Amino acid sequence: MYRSVTFFLLSCVCLYGVNTQEGLNYLNTLRTSSGLIALKPSATLSKAAKSHATYLIQNQTNGHYEKKGRYAYTGKTPSQRVKKAGYPSTVVMENISINTANQKKSIDNLFAAIYHRFTFLNFYADSIGIGIHKTKKKRAIKQAYVYNLTSSELMKLCLQPFSMKNGTYYMKGVCADAIKMIPQNIFEKKKKKIKKKNKSIILYPYAGQEEVPPVFYNESPDPLPKYKVSGFPVSVQFNTAYFKQVKLKSFKLYDSLGSEIKKTKILQVKNDPNHLLAKHEFALMPLARLEFAQRYTAVCKAVANGKLVTKKWTFKTREPKEKLYRVSKTSQTLEVKAGETIVLYMVPSHRRDLLKNYRMKGGAKAVFIDQNTLRVTLPKRKSSNRVSIRFGNKKKVKFIVN
């Protein structure tokens, strides 16, 4: 399954490294903390991922498909590109993000996007290649991150000889060698072998997780097409190596005071608008942003293999290091200290309420943290009415600088 996500940030700090170890370490921390095995790096998969990242930057495009004849073309699909790089198997999953500040932010954004999260939390993946490309030129797309995931056990099947036997079903299109035939029973056996190395149920955010982003913006395809801004999804996956039949009974989220978050949408295979979720995947989508620095409790009840399974766990959303100001009014005045840096969270008033641009007055400086939140540094001089920030013609914040 090929999935891509685009995040159009209004500002970014260009601190990027080509060493992918940082991203791999962070991704593996999220996987192992959730109960999945760590992914091992593959130089061949990384070569394919790097080639596609280069293609995206050079051609100023986004997505999983390349057009023959364009600069840096190495294959139309991820399968063709890993084959071109020399990988024996063509069974590959690909995640993409563009214009994110660093590898950690790239992975965080993909985990906020539910379809891409399930790619990263795949039960049978055990290998990964990461490719990063960037440019200092003034272009719309400056950074591209590509992640190719697959199974080393399935790859090894493509290196083994198999003789044709009557009564055995064979699969084609699994290997780079187009005529290679793989026995389906062995193929499924290898997948199950890796799945059994993982826990039976995967929760995300994982139990006790800290610094969880509070927001989800967009994904392609979009699981919430009517929303431009919503809360960070909470998900449960049942490992099919252990569970054959799973039926969701309830899935709820509670704030730090114990009150249920009522405005949510539960996504599962029967109502997924993009038909990408599997029968064992469930997502609770909060229809409004979660709050910063809050501890939430999730409770999921399901009947799995005929038995009631209840999962209850907590996680905490990200807490800014600077003092946080929560702004919910159209016009608001804040008292701040000269020279201090604060975080200004403009609470969305509706499901499409994003900060597209801003105008500063009085010497303050600001950068986007996300599309509803700014980090603002106030001028060092005191002022009672000259410092302000305006968002279009709708919202304004004035600062009394002491």
Side-chain angles (χ1 to χ4, degrees), residues 44-268:
T44 308
L45 293 175
S46 294
K47 180 180 178 181
K50 173 66 175 178
S51 72
H52 189 52
T54 301
Y55 175 91
L56 297 177
I57 295 296
Q58 294 297 331
N59 295 284
Q60 287 295 285
T61 188
N62 185 34
H64 300 288
Y65 299 97
E66 297 184 4
K67 290 185 179 180
K68 193 172 183 179
R70 287 194 175 184
Y71 184 85
Y73 173 86
T74 54
K76 180 180 179 180
T77 66
S79 293
Q80 292 175 358
R81 293 192 290 273
V82 297
K83 176 182 177 181
K84 176 73 174 179
Y87 201 74
S89 170
T90 57
V91 179
V92 62
M93 297 168 286
E94 184 175 85
N95 269 349
I96 297 171
S97 71
I98 63 170
N99 286 354
T100 46
N102 50 51
Q103 293 179 65
K104 183 177 181 294
K105 180 66 174 177
S106 166
I107 292 169
D108 280 343
N109 282 354
L110 289 165
F111 266 89
I114 194 63
Y115 301 131
H116 296 74
R117 176 192 298 180
F118 286 146
T119 295
F120 274 151
L121 297 180
N122 182 274
F123 283 107
Y124 72 84
D126 66 356
S127 301
I128 189 171
I130 302 176
I132 303 172
H133 194 68
K134 61 181 180 177
T135 181
K136 294 182 179 180
K137 296 180 180 179
K138 292 183 179 180
R139 293 186 174 184
I141 301 176
K142 288 181 171 290
Q143 303 85 22
Y145 300 80
V146 178
Y147 305 86
N148 286 338
L149 293 81
T150 189
S151 162
S152 64
E153 291 291 334
L154 301 185
M155 179 271 291
K156 292 174 183 177
L157 292 179
C158 295
L159 302 177
Q160 298 178 21
F162 293 100
S163 56
M164 304 292 284
K165 297 180 181 179
N166 290 331
T168 299
Y169 184 80
Y170 291 84
M171 302 175 64
K172 200 174 181 181
V174 174
C175 304
D177 181 354
I179 63 173
K180 182 82 173 182
M181 305 290 282
I182 303 295
Q184 186 185 28
N185 63 329
I186 297 179
F187 180 86
E188 295 298 336
K189 183 179 179 180
K190 292 296 184 181
K191 284 180 67 175
K192 189 173 182 179
K193 177 182 177 181
I194 299 179
K195 288 180 179 181
K196 282 206 164 186
K197 295 180 180 179
N198 300 297
K199 284 188 176 180
S200 59
I201 301 176
I202 301 301
L203 313 172
Y204 202 89
Y206 57 79
Q209 186 170 351
E210 305 274 339
E211 294 296 307
V212 175
V215 65
F216 162 63
Y217 286 112
N218 56 11
E219 183 174 14
S220 178
D222 197 341
L224 293 176
K226 294 182 179 180
Y227 290 77
K228 294 295 184 181
V229 54
S230 58
F232 193 82
V234 183
S235 63
V236 178
Q237 297 163 270
F238 289 80
N239 190 337
T240 55
Y242 300 99
F243 299 102
K244 298 298 182 183
Q245 299 290 334
V246 179
K247 183 178 181 180
L248 185 68
K249 301 293 288 183
S250 65
F251 200 172
K252 297 181 180 182
L253 185 66
Y254 300 87
D255 64 19
S256 58
L257 297 177
S259 299
E260 182 183 353
I261 308 297
K262 294 286 188 178
K263 295 182 179 180
T264 65
K265 181 175 182 179
I266 309 301
L267 282 185
Q268 51 188 309

Side-chain angles (χ1 to χ4, degrees), residues 241-399:
Y242 300 99
F243 299 102
K244 298 298 182 183
Q245 299 290 334
V246 179
K247 183 178 181 180
L248 185 68
K249 301 293 288 183
S250 65
F251 200 172
K252 297 181 180 182
L253 185 66
Y254 300 87
D255 64 19
S256 58
L257 297 177
S259 299
E260 182 183 353
I261 308 297
K262 294 286 188 178
K263 295 182 179 180
T264 65
K265 181 175 182 179
I266 309 301
L267 282 185
Q268 51 188 309
V269 66
K270 64 182 180 182
N271 71 340
D272 175 17
N274 301 295
H275 310 290
L276 292 176
L277 295 184
K279 292 180 179 180
H280 63 281
E281 296 174 334
F282 306 93
L284 182 152
M285 312 290 291
L287 298 181
R289 280 186 62 134
L290 301 182
E291 294 292 336
F292 283 104
Q294 292 293 313
R295 189 166 297 279
Y296 290 89
T297 300
V299 182
C300 176
K301 295 183 180 181
V303 176
N305 288 355
K307 296 182 180 180
L308 179 64
V309 175
T310 300
K311 288 293 181 180
K312 181 179 180 180
W313 74 103
T314 65
F315 61 89
K316 186 179 180 181
T317 51
R318 184 165 293 156
E319 182 172 2
K321 295 179 181 179
E322 300 85 2
K323 187 174 181 180
L324 174 68
Y325 290 86
R326 190 177 186 275
V327 180
S328 57
K329 299 178 181 179
T330 302
S331 180
Q332 196 160 330
T333 301
L334 302 175
E335 289 194 27
V336 294
K337 296 180 180 179
E340 84 170 316
T341 298
I342 64 171
V343 171
L344 199 65
Y345 168 42
M346 307 298 290
V347 181
S349 58
H350 54 81
R351 62 191 180 187
R352 295 179 178 271
D353 190 9
L354 303 179
L355 304 180
K356 296 181 180 180
N357 53 65
Y358 62 86
R359 298 194 305 274
M360 302 293 302
K361 180 182 177 182
K365 296 180 180 180
V367 294
F368 276 92
I369 295 176
D370 61 48
Q371 289 179 272
N372 298 104
T373 313
L374 290 172
R375 180 175 287 109
V376 180
T377 300
L378 284 307
K380 295 182 179 180
R381 64 179 182 278
K382 296 182 179 181
S383 177
S384 59
N385 59 8
R386 294 182 57 190
V387 183
S388 65
I389 180 169
R390 182 183 293 274
F391 304 95
N393 296 319
K394 297 182 179 180
K395 296 182 179 181
K396 183 178 181 179
V397 178
K398 295 180 180 179
F399 298 99

